Amino acid sequence: MKPKVAFFDFTSCEGCQLDALNLTGEELTDLLNAVDVVNFREVKTQREDNYDVAFIEGSITRESEIPRLQKIRNQAKVLIALGACACIGGVNCLKNHLPMEEVKQIVYGKDAKYYDTIPARPVNAVVPVDYYVRGCPPLPAELLKVIKALLLGKKPEIPNHPVCVECKMAGNICVFERGTTCLGPVTRAGCGAICVTSGRHCWGCRGLVDEPNIDSEKDILKKYGLTVEQVVEKFKIYDTYVEVLR
Ligand code: SF4
Ligand code: SF4
Ligand code: SF4
């Protein structure tokens, strides 16, 4: 019997699920031979409520999402948070900086009273999460790696060192040399430092490493004449749900 896998979207742009569909060729064929995808709204209309593994995309931003998520948790033997919104709250948590009534007014105007919204939170703030597939969006290869590990009965190995390690290995010149800030020193690697390699900096979409060396990040800021406030601005994009540098 192949394990039954289901994908569910909560508050999200659905980019994580779309990116999962970027698996192609042999990788996709191997995956579909190994698992039975029984629930994936972007791909198929038929749905089953009987599944073993649930992938959750998106963060929780409405009261009505809580019982829905709890029901999925009760059904699934394994629950996996898929993408930054699900793993760490992500961009949805930007609204947490404002009162919820104000947020509703900004988005819905005179119709605000018809909408329910609560401060955004990651999936693990509502139900236990077994594994995390990180990133905005996650790399399809990492998703595949996690599924393969589960099929082999192993714990998926996700890096717990900072993006800086991969950035140095890629031969990049540190963006601090250009006078800008970067969350690479405290962000979990696994993306190959793709943003720095592409000429930008790390926004922290994969979340913090376990036990981030905050003092080290502060030392770097000091060395380059930058302030904590400048880097906190960058944390707001993905990591509002955790406040680390204050
Ligand atoms: S993690 Fe990024 S790509 Fe995925 S749903 Fe959230 S905003 Fe979209
Ligand atoms: S701080 Fe950013 S740019 Fe500098 S090495 Fe680390 S990841 Fe690369
Ligand atoms: S470099 Fe940073 S922001 Fe870019 S993908 Fe990697 S973790 Fe995410």
mmCIF file with all atom_site columns, all heavy atoms in Angstrom, residues 1-28:
data_model
loop_
_atom_site.group_PDB
_atom_site.id
_atom_site.type_symbol
_atom_site.label_atom_id
_atom_site.label_alt_id
_atom_site.label_comp_id
_atom_site.label_asym_id
_atom_site.label_entity_id
_atom_site.label_seq_id
_atom_site.pdbx_PDB_ins_code
_atom_site.Cartn_x
_atom_site.Cartn_y
_atom_site.Cartn_z
_atom_site.occupancy
_atom_site.B_iso_or_equiv
_atom_site.pdbx_formal_charge
_atom_site.auth_seq_id
_atom_site.auth_comp_id
_atom_site.auth_asym_id
_atom_site.auth_atom_id
_atom_site.pdbx_PDB_model_num
ATOM 1   N N   . MET A 1 1  ? 0.840  -1.201 0.000   1.00 0.00 ? 1  MET A N   1
ATOM 2   C CA  . MET A 1 1  ? 0.000  0.000  0.000   1.00 0.00 ? 1  MET A CA  1
ATOM 3   C C   . MET A 1 1  ? 0.878  1.255  0.000   1.00 0.00 ? 1  MET A C   1
ATOM 4   O O   . MET A 1 1  ? 1.743  1.424  0.837   1.00 0.00 ? 1  MET A O   1
ATOM 5   C CB  . MET A 1 1  ? -0.867 0.014  1.268   1.00 0.00 ? 1  MET A CB  1
ATOM 6   C CG  . MET A 1 1  ? -2.102 -0.861 1.188   1.00 0.00 ? 1  MET A CG  1
ATOM 7   S SD  . MET A 1 1  ? -3.411 -0.066 0.250   1.00 0.00 ? 1  MET A SD  1
ATOM 8   C CE  . MET A 1 1  ? -4.031 1.106  1.453   1.00 0.00 ? 1  MET A CE  1
ATOM 9   N N   . LYS A 1 2  ? 0.614  2.131  -0.961  1.00 0.00 ? 2  LYS A N   1
ATOM 10  C CA  . LYS A 1 2  ? 1.374  3.379  -0.990  1.00 0.00 ? 2  LYS A CA  1
ATOM 11  C C   . LYS A 1 2  ? 0.796  4.340  0.062   1.00 0.00 ? 2  LYS A C   1
ATOM 12  O O   . LYS A 1 2  ? -0.425 4.385  0.244   1.00 0.00 ? 2  LYS A O   1
ATOM 13  C CB  . LYS A 1 2  ? 1.252  4.015  -2.373  1.00 0.00 ? 2  LYS A CB  1
ATOM 14  C CG  . LYS A 1 2  ? 1.881  3.193  -3.479  1.00 0.00 ? 2  LYS A CG  1
ATOM 15  C CD  . LYS A 1 2  ? 2.044  3.992  -4.736  1.00 0.00 ? 2  LYS A CD  1
ATOM 16  C CE  . LYS A 1 2  ? 0.781  4.085  -5.542  1.00 0.00 ? 2  LYS A CE  1
ATOM 17  N NZ  . LYS A 1 2  ? 0.966  4.729  -6.849  1.00 0.00 ? 2  LYS A NZ  1
ATOM 18  N N   . PRO A 1 3  ? 1.672  5.139  0.733   1.00 0.00 ? 3  PRO A N   1
ATOM 19  C CA  . PRO A 1 3  ? 1.121  6.118  1.670   1.00 0.00 ? 3  PRO A CA  1
ATOM 20  C C   . PRO A 1 3  ? 0.277  7.163  0.937   1.00 0.00 ? 3  PRO A C   1
ATOM 21  O O   . PRO A 1 3  ? 0.605  7.566  -0.184  1.00 0.00 ? 3  PRO A O   1
ATOM 22  C CB  . PRO A 1 3  ? 2.359  6.771  2.293   1.00 0.00 ? 3  PRO A CB  1
ATOM 23  C CG  . PRO A 1 3  ? 3.524  6.284  1.540   1.00 0.00 ? 3  PRO A CG  1
ATOM 24  C CD  . PRO A 1 3  ? 3.126  5.131  0.670   1.00 0.00 ? 3  PRO A CD  1
ATOM 25  N N   . LYS A 1 4  ? -0.800 7.546  1.599   1.00 0.00 ? 4  LYS A N   1
ATOM 26  C CA  . LYS A 1 4  ? -1.675 8.553  0.994   1.00 0.00 ? 4  LYS A CA  1
ATOM 27  C C   . LYS A 1 4  ? -1.247 9.930  1.467   1.00 0.00 ? 4  LYS A C   1
ATOM 28  O O   . LYS A 1 4  ? -1.133 10.175 2.675   1.00 0.00 ? 4  LYS A O   1
ATOM 29  C CB  . LYS A 1 4  ? -3.123 8.276  1.392   1.00 0.00 ? 4  LYS A CB  1
ATOM 30  C CG  . LYS A 1 4  ? -3.653 6.984  0.769   1.00 0.00 ? 4  LYS A CG  1
ATOM 31  C CD  . LYS A 1 4  ? -5.123 6.804  1.056   1.00 0.00 ? 4  LYS A CD  1
ATOM 32  C CE  . LYS A 1 4  ? -5.636 5.577  0.324   1.00 0.00 ? 4  LYS A CE  1
ATOM 33  N NZ  . LYS A 1 4  ? -7.072 5.430  0.386   1.00 0.00 ? 4  LYS A NZ  1
ATOM 34  N N   . VAL A 1 5  ? -1.025 10.811 0.500   1.00 0.00 ? 5  VAL A N   1
ATOM 35  C CA  . VAL A 1 5  ? -0.499 12.144 0.798   1.00 0.00 ? 5  VAL A CA  1
ATOM 36  C C   . VAL A 1 5  ? -1.529 13.199 0.399   1.00 0.00 ? 5  VAL A C   1
ATOM 37  O O   . VAL A 1 5  ? -2.155 13.097 -0.661  1.00 0.00 ? 5  VAL A O   1
ATOM 38  C CB  . VAL A 1 5  ? 0.822  12.372 0.019   1.00 0.00 ? 5  VAL A CB  1
ATOM 39  C CG1 . VAL A 1 5  ? 1.321  13.796 0.195   1.00 0.00 ? 5  VAL A CG1 1
ATOM 40  C CG2 . VAL A 1 5  ? 1.882  11.381 0.477   1.00 0.00 ? 5  VAL A CG2 1
ATOM 41  N N   . ALA A 1 6  ? -1.679 14.196 1.264   1.00 0.00 ? 6  ALA A N   1
ATOM 42  C CA  . ALA A 1 6  ? -2.649 15.267 0.979   1.00 0.00 ? 6  ALA A CA  1
ATOM 43  C C   . ALA A 1 6  ? -1.977 16.624 1.152   1.00 0.00 ? 6  ALA A C   1
ATOM 44  O O   . ALA A 1 6  ? -1.098 16.789 2.010   1.00 0.00 ? 6  ALA A O   1
ATOM 45  C CB  . ALA A 1 6  ? -3.833 15.149 1.931   1.00 0.00 ? 6  ALA A CB  1
ATOM 46  N N   . PHE A 1 7  ? -2.357 17.573 0.324   1.00 0.00 ? 7  PHE A N   1
ATOM 47  C CA  . PHE A 1 7  ? -1.864 18.955 0.421   1.00 0.00 ? 7  PHE A CA  1
ATOM 48  C C   . PHE A 1 7  ? -3.048 19.867 0.749   1.00 0.00 ? 7  PHE A C   1
ATOM 49  O O   . PHE A 1 7  ? -4.101 19.761 0.122   1.00 0.00 ? 7  PHE A O   1
ATOM 50  C CB  . PHE A 1 7  ? -1.240 19.414 -0.907  1.00 0.00 ? 7  PHE A CB  1
ATOM 51  C CG  . PHE A 1 7  ? 0.083  18.770 -1.213  1.00 0.00 ? 7  PHE A CG  1
ATOM 52  C CD1 . PHE A 1 7  ? 0.151  17.472 -1.700  1.00 0.00 ? 7  PHE A CD1 1
ATOM 53  C CD2 . PHE A 1 7  ? 1.266  19.465 -1.005  1.00 0.00 ? 7  PHE A CD2 1
ATOM 54  C CE1 . PHE A 1 7  ? 1.373  16.877 -1.991  1.00 0.00 ? 7  PHE A CE1 1
ATOM 55  C CE2 . PHE A 1 7  ? 2.496  18.879 -1.291  1.00 0.00 ? 7  PHE A CE2 1
ATOM 56  C CZ  . PHE A 1 7  ? 2.543  17.582 -1.780  1.00 0.00 ? 7  PHE A CZ  1
ATOM 57  N N   . PHE A 1 8  ? -2.830 20.751 1.722   1.00 0.00 ? 8  PHE A N   1
ATOM 58  C CA  . PHE A 1 8  ? -3.894 21.682 2.112   1.00 0.00 ? 8  PHE A CA  1
ATOM 59  C C   . PHE A 1 8  ? -3.358 23.107 2.138   1.00 0.00 ? 8  PHE A C   1
ATOM 60  O O   . PHE A 1 8  ? -2.243 23.345 2.607   1.00 0.00 ? 8  PHE A O   1
ATOM 61  C CB  . PHE A 1 8  ? -4.429 21.333 3.498   1.00 0.00 ? 8  PHE A CB  1
ATOM 62  C CG  . PHE A 1 8  ? -5.051 19.967 3.571   1.00 0.00 ? 8  PHE A CG  1
ATOM 63  C CD1 . PHE A 1 8  ? -4.332 18.894 4.092   1.00 0.00 ? 8  PHE A CD1 1
ATOM 64  C CD2 . PHE A 1 8  ? -6.343 19.753 3.096   1.00 0.00 ? 8  PHE A CD2 1
ATOM 65  C CE1 . PHE A 1 8  ? -4.898 17.628 4.148   1.00 0.00 ? 8  PHE A CE1 1
ATOM 66  C CE2 . PHE A 1 8  ? -6.910 18.486 3.148   1.00 0.00 ? 8  PHE A CE2 1
ATOM 67  C CZ  . PHE A 1 8  ? -6.184 17.414 3.678   1.00 0.00 ? 8  PHE A CZ  1
ATOM 68  N N   . ASP A 1 9  ? -4.157 24.056 1.652   1.00 0.00 ? 9  ASP A N   1
ATOM 69  C CA  . ASP A 1 9  ? -3.730 25.449 1.722   1.00 0.00 ? 9  ASP A CA  1
ATOM 70  C C   . ASP A 1 9  ? -4.544 26.200 2.753   1.00 0.00 ? 9  ASP A C   1
ATOM 71  O O   . ASP A 1 9  ? -5.765 26.069 2.826   1.00 0.00 ? 9  ASP A O   1
ATOM 72  C CB  . ASP A 1 9  ? -3.826 26.131 0.358   1.00 0.00 ? 9  ASP A CB  1
ATOM 73  C CG  . ASP A 1 9  ? -5.095 25.791 -0.394  1.00 0.00 ? 9  ASP A CG  1
ATOM 74  O OD1 . ASP A 1 9  ? -6.109 26.460 -0.163  1.00 0.00 ? 9  ASP A OD1 1
ATOM 75  O OD2 . ASP A 1 9  ? -5.063 24.848 -1.205  1.00 0.00 ? 9  ASP A OD2 1
ATOM 76  N N   . PHE A 1 10 ? -3.830 27.000 3.547   1.00 0.00 ? 10 PHE A N   1
ATOM 77  C CA  . PHE A 1 10 ? -4.478 27.923 4.470   1.00 0.00 ? 10 PHE A CA  1
ATOM 78  C C   . PHE A 1 10 ? -4.195 29.335 3.939   1.00 0.00 ? 10 PHE A C   1
ATOM 79  O O   . PHE A 1 10 ? -4.237 29.543 2.741   1.00 0.00 ? 10 PHE A O   1
ATOM 80  C CB  . PHE A 1 10 ? -3.993 27.661 5.906   1.00 0.00 ? 10 PHE A CB  1
ATOM 81  C CG  . PHE A 1 10 ? -4.654 26.429 6.493   1.00 0.00 ? 10 PHE A CG  1
ATOM 82  C CD1 . PHE A 1 10 ? -4.314 25.156 6.050   1.00 0.00 ? 10 PHE A CD1 1
ATOM 83  C CD2 . PHE A 1 10 ? -5.664 26.538 7.428   1.00 0.00 ? 10 PHE A CD2 1
ATOM 84  C CE1 . PHE A 1 10 ? -4.954 24.016 6.534   1.00 0.00 ? 10 PHE A CE1 1
ATOM 85  C CE2 . PHE A 1 10 ? -6.315 25.410 7.928   1.00 0.00 ? 10 PHE A CE2 1
ATOM 86  C CZ  . PHE A 1 10 ? -5.957 24.158 7.480   1.00 0.00 ? 10 PHE A CZ  1
ATOM 87  N N   . THR A 1 11 ? -3.905 30.320 4.793   1.00 0.00 ? 11 THR A N   1
ATOM 88  C CA  . THR A 1 11 ? -3.693 31.665 4.245   1.00 0.00 ? 11 THR A CA  1
ATOM 89  C C   . THR A 1 11 ? -2.321 31.736 3.575   1.00 0.00 ? 11 THR A C   1
ATOM 90  O O   . THR A 1 11 ? -1.287 31.652 4.235   1.00 0.00 ? 11 THR A O   1
ATOM 91  C CB  . THR A 1 11 ? -3.817 32.713 5.358   1.00 0.00 ? 11 THR A CB  1
ATOM 92  O OG1 . THR A 1 11 ? -5.114 32.598 5.942   1.00 0.00 ? 11 THR A OG1 1
ATOM 93  C CG2 . THR A 1 11 ? -3.650 34.123 4.790   1.00 0.00 ? 11 THR A CG2 1
ATOM 94  N N   . SER A 1 12 ? -2.343 31.879 2.273   1.00 0.00 ? 12 SER A N   1
ATOM 95  C CA  . SER A 1 12 ? -1.096 31.769 1.509   1.00 0.00 ? 12 SER A CA  1
ATOM 96  C C   . SER A 1 12 ? -1.307 32.315 0.105   1.00 0.00 ? 12 SER A C   1
ATOM 97  O O   . SER A 1 12 ? -2.431 32.578 -0.310  1.00 0.00 ? 12 SER A O   1
ATOM 98  C CB  . SER A 1 12 ? -0.697 30.300 1.405   1.00 0.00 ? 12 SER A CB  1
ATOM 99  O OG  . SER A 1 12 ? -1.693 29.594 0.682   1.00 0.00 ? 12 SER A OG  1
ATOM 100 N N   . CYS A 1 13 ? -0.197 32.420 -0.626  1.00 0.00 ? 13 CYS A N   1
ATOM 101 C CA  . CYS A 1 13 ? -0.322 32.790 -2.037  1.00 0.00 ? 13 CYS A CA  1
ATOM 102 C C   . CYS A 1 13 ? -0.388 31.542 -2.906  1.00 0.00 ? 13 CYS A C   1
ATOM 103 O O   . CYS A 1 13 ? -0.485 31.652 -4.127  1.00 0.00 ? 13 CYS A O   1
ATOM 104 C CB  . CYS A 1 13 ? 0.853  33.674 -2.461  1.00 0.00 ? 13 CYS A CB  1
ATOM 105 S SG  . CYS A 1 13 ? 2.386  32.768 -2.680  1.00 0.00 ? 13 CYS A SG  1
ATOM 106 N N   . GLU A 1 14 ? -0.274 30.381 -2.281  1.00 0.00 ? 14 GLU A N   1
ATOM 107 C CA  . GLU A 1 14 ? -0.300 29.076 -2.949  1.00 0.00 ? 14 GLU A CA  1
ATOM 108 C C   . GLU A 1 14 ? 0.936  28.838 -3.808  1.00 0.00 ? 14 GLU A C   1
ATOM 109 O O   . GLU A 1 14 ? 0.984  27.898 -4.600  1.00 0.00 ? 14 GLU A O   1
ATOM 110 C CB  . GLU A 1 14 ? -1.600 28.860 -3.741  1.00 0.00 ? 14 GLU A CB  1
ATOM 111 C CG  . GLU A 1 14 ? -2.815 28.959 -2.833  1.00 0.00 ? 14 GLU A CG  1
ATOM 112 C CD  . GLU A 1 14 ? -4.090 28.393 -3.429  1.00 0.00 ? 14 GLU A CD  1
ATOM 113 O OE1 . GLU A 1 14 ? -4.036 27.708 -4.451  1.00 0.00 ? 14 GLU A OE1 1
ATOM 114 O OE2 . GLU A 1 14 ? -5.150 28.634 -2.829  1.00 0.00 ? 14 GLU A OE2 1
ATOM 115 N N   . GLY A 1 15 ? 1.944  29.695 -3.634  1.00 0.00 ? 15 GLY A N   1
ATOM 116 C CA  . GLY A 1 15 ? 3.183  29.518 -4.389  1.00 0.00 ? 15 GLY A CA  1
ATOM 117 C C   . GLY A 1 15 ? 3.940  28.261 -4.000  1.00 0.00 ? 15 GLY A C   1
ATOM 118 O O   . GLY A 1 15 ? 4.646  27.678 -4.824  1.00 0.00 ? 15 GLY A O   1
ATOM 119 N N   . CYS A 1 16 ? 3.807  27.855 -2.743  1.00 0.00 ? 16 CYS A N   1
ATOM 120 C CA  . CYS A 1 16 ? 4.516  26.639 -2.313  1.00 0.00 ? 16 CYS A CA  1
ATOM 121 C C   . CYS A 1 16 ? 3.968  25.423 -3.043  1.00 0.00 ? 16 CYS A C   1
ATOM 122 O O   . CYS A 1 16 ? 4.724  24.562 -3.508  1.00 0.00 ? 16 CYS A O   1
ATOM 123 C CB  . CYS A 1 16 ? 4.357  26.441 -0.809  1.00 0.00 ? 16 CYS A CB  1
ATOM 124 S SG  . CYS A 1 16 ? 5.121  27.717 0.180   1.00 0.00 ? 16 CYS A SG  1
ATOM 125 N N   . GLN A 1 17 ? 2.649  25.342 -3.135  1.00 0.00 ? 17 GLN A N   1
ATOM 126 C CA  . GLN A 1 17 ? 2.060  24.205 -3.852  1.00 0.00 ? 17 GLN A CA  1
ATOM 127 C C   . GLN A 1 17 ? 2.406  24.267 -5.337  1.00 0.00 ? 17 GLN A C   1
ATOM 128 O O   . GLN A 1 17 ? 2.717  23.257 -5.955  1.00 0.00 ? 17 GLN A O   1
ATOM 129 C CB  . GLN A 1 17 ? 0.544  24.204 -3.682  1.00 0.00 ? 17 GLN A CB  1
ATOM 130 C CG  . GLN A 1 17 ? 0.101  23.856 -2.276  1.00 0.00 ? 17 GLN A CG  1
ATOM 131 C CD  . GLN A 1 17 ? -1.405 23.760 -2.221  1.00 0.00 ? 17 GLN A CD  1
ATOM 132 O OE1 . GLN A 1 17 ? -1.973 22.698 -2.382  1.00 0.00 ? 17 GLN A OE1 1
ATOM 133 N NE2 . GLN A 1 17 ? -2.048 24.873 -2.000  1.00 0.00 ? 17 GLN A NE2 1
ATOM 134 N N   . LEU A 1 18 ? 2.357  25.486 -5.883  1.00 0.00 ? 18 LEU A N   1
ATOM 135 C CA  . LEU A 1 18 ? 2.706  25.634 -7.303  1.00 0.00 ? 18 LEU A CA  1
ATOM 136 C C   . LEU A 1 18 ? 4.131  25.168 -7.555  1.00 0.00 ? 18 LEU A C   1
ATOM 137 O O   . LEU A 1 18 ? 4.423  24.504 -8.546  1.00 0.00 ? 18 LEU A O   1
ATOM 138 C CB  . LEU A 1 18 ? 2.582  27.104 -7.717  1.00 0.00 ? 18 LEU A CB  1
ATOM 139 C CG  . LEU A 1 18 ? 1.248  27.553 -8.286  1.00 0.00 ? 18 LEU A CG  1
ATOM 140 C CD1 . LEU A 1 18 ? 1.323  29.031 -8.632  1.00 0.00 ? 18 LEU A CD1 1
ATOM 141 C CD2 . LEU A 1 18 ? 0.884  26.748 -9.527  1.00 0.00 ? 18 LEU A CD2 1
ATOM 142 N N   . ASP A 1 19 ? 5.016  25.536 -6.623  1.00 0.00 ? 19 ASP A N   1
ATOM 143 C CA  . ASP A 1 19 ? 6.408  25.167 -6.816  1.00 0.00 ? 19 ASP A CA  1
ATOM 144 C C   . ASP A 1 19 ? 6.612  23.653 -6.691  1.00 0.00 ? 19 ASP A C   1
ATOM 145 O O   . ASP A 1 19 ? 7.489  23.092 -7.342  1.00 0.00 ? 19 ASP A O   1
ATOM 146 C CB  . ASP A 1 19 ? 7.303  25.911 -5.826  1.00 0.00 ? 19 ASP A CB  1
ATOM 147 C CG  . ASP A 1 19 ? 8.544  26.427 -6.511  1.00 0.00 ? 19 ASP A CG  1
ATOM 148 O OD1 . ASP A 1 19 ? 8.399  27.022 -7.596  1.00 0.00 ? 19 ASP A OD1 1
ATOM 149 O OD2 . ASP A 1 19 ? 9.654  26.201 -6.000  1.00 0.00 ? 19 ASP A OD2 1
ATOM 150 N N   . ALA A 1 20 ? 5.786  23.020 -5.856  1.00 0.00 ? 20 ALA A N   1
ATOM 151 C CA  . ALA A 1 20 ? 5.868  21.547 -5.768  1.00 0.00 ? 20 ALA A CA  1
ATOM 152 C C   . ALA A 1 20 ? 5.606  20.939 -7.134  1.00 0.00 ? 20 ALA A C   1
ATOM 153 O O   . ALA A 1 20 ? 6.142  19.877 -7.473  1.00 0.00 ? 20 ALA A O   1
ATOM 154 C CB  . ALA A 1 20 ? 4.867  21.034 -4.738  1.00 0.00 ? 20 ALA A CB  1
ATOM 155 N N   . LEU A 1 21 ? 4.803  21.624 -7.920  1.00 0.00 ? 21 LEU A N   1
ATOM 156 C CA  . LEU A 1 21 ? 4.472  21.101 -9.254  1.00 0.00 ? 21 LEU A CA  1
ATOM 157 C C   . LEU A 1 21 ? 5.621  21.279 -10.234 1.00 0.00 ? 21 LEU A C   1
ATOM 158 O O   . LEU A 1 21 ? 5.555  20.799 -11.366 1.00 0.00 ? 21 LEU A O   1
ATOM 159 C CB  . LEU A 1 21 ? 3.222  21.804 -9.783  1.00 0.00 ? 21 LEU A CB  1
ATOM 160 C CG  . LEU A 1 21 ? 1.984  21.626 -8.911  1.00 0.00 ? 21 LEU A CG  1
ATOM 161 C CD1 . LEU A 1 21 ? 0.822  22.422 -9.470  1.00 0.00 ? 21 LEU A CD1 1
ATOM 162 C CD2 . LEU A 1 21 ? 1.627  20.166 -8.798  1.00 0.00 ? 21 LEU A CD2 1
ATOM 163 N N   . ASN A 1 22 ? 6.675  21.965 -9.781  1.00 0.00 ? 22 ASN A N   1
ATOM 164 C CA  . ASN A 1 22 ? 7.846  22.109 -10.646 1.00 0.00 ? 22 ASN A CA  1
ATOM 165 C C   . ASN A 1 22 ? 8.710  20.857 -10.663 1.00 0.00 ? 22 ASN A C   1
ATOM 166 O O   . ASN A 1 22 ? 9.689  20.800 -11.392 1.00 0.00 ? 22 ASN A O   1
ATOM 167 C CB  . ASN A 1 22 ? 8.704  23.302 -10.204 1.00 0.00 ? 22 ASN A CB  1
ATOM 168 C CG  . ASN A 1 22 ? 8.137  24.598 -10.746 1.00 0.00 ? 22 ASN A CG  1
ATOM 169 O OD1 . ASN A 1 22 ? 7.456  24.596 -11.764 1.00 0.00 ? 22 ASN A OD1 1
ATOM 170 N ND2 . ASN A 1 22 ? 8.414  25.688 -10.067 1.00 0.00 ? 22 ASN A ND2 1
ATOM 171 N N   . LEU A 1 23 ? 8.349  19.888 -9.811  1.00 0.00 ? 23 LEU A N   1
ATOM 172 C CA  . LEU A 1 23 ? 9.034  18.597 -9.925  1.00 0.00 ? 23 LEU A CA  1
ATOM 173 C C   . LEU A 1 23 ? 8.687  18.029 -11.295 1.00 0.00 ? 23 LEU A C   1
ATOM 174 O O   . LEU A 1 23 ? 7.528  18.007 -11.693 1.00 0.00 ? 23 LEU A O   1
ATOM 175 C CB  . LEU A 1 23 ? 8.545  17.632 -8.839  1.00 0.00 ? 23 LEU A CB  1
ATOM 176 C CG  . LEU A 1 23 ? 9.090  17.842 -7.430  1.00 0.00 ? 23 LEU A CG  1
ATOM 177 C CD1 . LEU A 1 23 ? 8.336  16.974 -6.444  1.00 0.00 ? 23 LEU A CD1 1
ATOM 178 C CD2 . LEU A 1 23 ? 10.574 17.517 -7.374  1.00 0.00 ? 23 LEU A CD2 1
ATOM 179 N N   . THR A 1 24 ? 9.703  17.600 -12.005 1.00 0.00 ? 24 THR A N   1
ATOM 180 C CA  . THR A 1 24 ? 9.429  17.131 -13.371 1.00 0.00 ? 24 THR A CA  1
ATOM 181 C C   . THR A 1 24 ? 10.131 15.795 -13.638 1.00 0.00 ? 24 THR A C   1
ATOM 182 O O   . THR A 1 24 ? 10.901 15.302 -12.810 1.00 0.00 ? 24 THR A O   1
ATOM 183 C CB  . THR A 1 24 ? 9.952  18.139 -14.423 1.00 0.00 ? 24 THR A CB  1
ATOM 184 O OG1 . THR A 1 24 ? 11.319 18.400 -14.115 1.00 0.00 ? 24 THR A OG1 1
ATOM 185 C CG2 . THR A 1 24 ? 9.162  19.418 -14.427 1.00 0.00 ? 24 THR A CG2 1
ATOM 186 N N   . GLY A 1 25 ? 9.868  15.252 -14.777 1.00 0.00 ? 25 GLY A N   1
ATOM 187 C CA  . GLY A 1 25 ? 10.590 14.097 -15.301 1.00 0.00 ? 25 GLY A CA  1
ATOM 188 C C   . GLY A 1 25 ? 10.595 12.905 -14.361 1.00 0.00 ? 25 GLY A C   1
ATOM 189 O O   . GLY A 1 25 ? 9.589  12.579 -13.743 1.00 0.00 ? 25 GLY A O   1
ATOM 190 N N   . GLU A 1 26 ? 11.777 12.281 -14.251 1.00 0.00 ? 26 GLU A N   1
ATOM 191 C CA  . GLU A 1 26 ? 11.895 11.046 -13.467 1.00 0.00 ? 26 GLU A CA  1
ATOM 192 C C   . GLU A 1 26 ? 11.548 11.268 -12.005 1.00 0.00 ? 26 GLU A C   1
ATOM 193 O O   . GLU A 1 26 ? 10.960 10.405 -11.358 1.00 0.00 ? 26 GLU A O   1
ATOM 194 C CB  . GLU A 1 26 ? 13.332 10.539 -13.531 1.00 0.00 ? 26 GLU A CB  1
ATOM 195 C CG  . GLU A 1 26 ? 13.561 9.566  -14.662 1.00 0.00 ? 26 GLU A CG  1
ATOM 196 C CD  . GLU A 1 26 ? 14.967 9.016  -14.624 1.00 0.00 ? 26 GLU A CD  1
ATOM 197 O OE1 . GLU A 1 26 ? 15.487 8.791  -13.527 1.00 0.00 ? 26 GLU A OE1 1
ATOM 198 O OE2 . GLU A 1 26 ? 15.527 8.836  -15.718 1.00 0.00 ? 26 GLU A OE2 1
ATOM 199 N N   . GLU A 1 27 ? 11.927 12.449 -11.486 1.00 0.00 ? 27 GLU A N   1
ATOM 200 C CA  . GLU A 1 27 ? 11.667 12.716 -10.064 1.00 0.00 ? 27 GLU A CA  1
ATOM 201 C C   . GLU A 1 27 ? 10.166 12.661 -9.791  1.00 0.00 ? 27 GLU A C   1
ATOM 202 O O   . GLU A 1 27 ? 9.712  12.060 -8.818  1.00 0.00 ? 27 GLU A O   1
ATOM 203 C CB  . GLU A 1 27 ? 12.203 14.085 -9.676  1.00 0.00 ? 27 GLU A CB  1
ATOM 204 C CG  . GLU A 1 27 ? 13.707 14.126 -9.548  1.00 0.00 ? 27 GLU A CG  1
ATOM 205 C CD  . GLU A 1 27 ? 14.216 15.457 -9.060  1.00 0.00 ? 27 GLU A CD  1
ATOM 206 O OE1 . GLU A 1 27 ? 13.549 16.471 -9.333  1.00 0.00 ? 27 GLU A OE1 1
ATOM 207 O OE2 . GLU A 1 27 ? 15.267 15.485 -8.411  1.00 0.00 ? 27 GLU A OE2 1
ATOM 208 N N   . LEU A 1 28 ? 9.395  13.291 -10.684 1.00 0.00 ? 28 LEU A N   1
ATOM 209 C CA  . LEU A 1 28 ? 7.948  13.315 -10.494 1.00 0.00 ? 28 LEU A CA  1
ATOM 210 C C   . LEU A 1 28 ? 7.365  11.910 -10.671 1.00 0.00 ? 28 LEU A C   1
ATOM 211 O O   . LEU A 1 28 ? 6.529  11.464 -9.877  1.00 0.00 ? 28 LEU A O   1
ATOM 212 C CB  . LEU A 1 28 ? 7.309  14.288 -11.494 1.00 0.00 ? 28 LEU A CB  1
ATOM 213 C CG  . LEU A 1 28 ? 5.812  14.471 -11.358 1.00 0.00 ? 28 LEU A CG  1
ATOM 214 C CD1 . LEU A 1 28 ? 5.456  15.046 -9.977  1.00 0.00 ? 28 LEU A CD1 1
ATOM 215 C CD2 . LEU A 1 28 ? 5.263  15.402 -12.433 1.00 0.00 ? 28 LEU A CD2 1
#
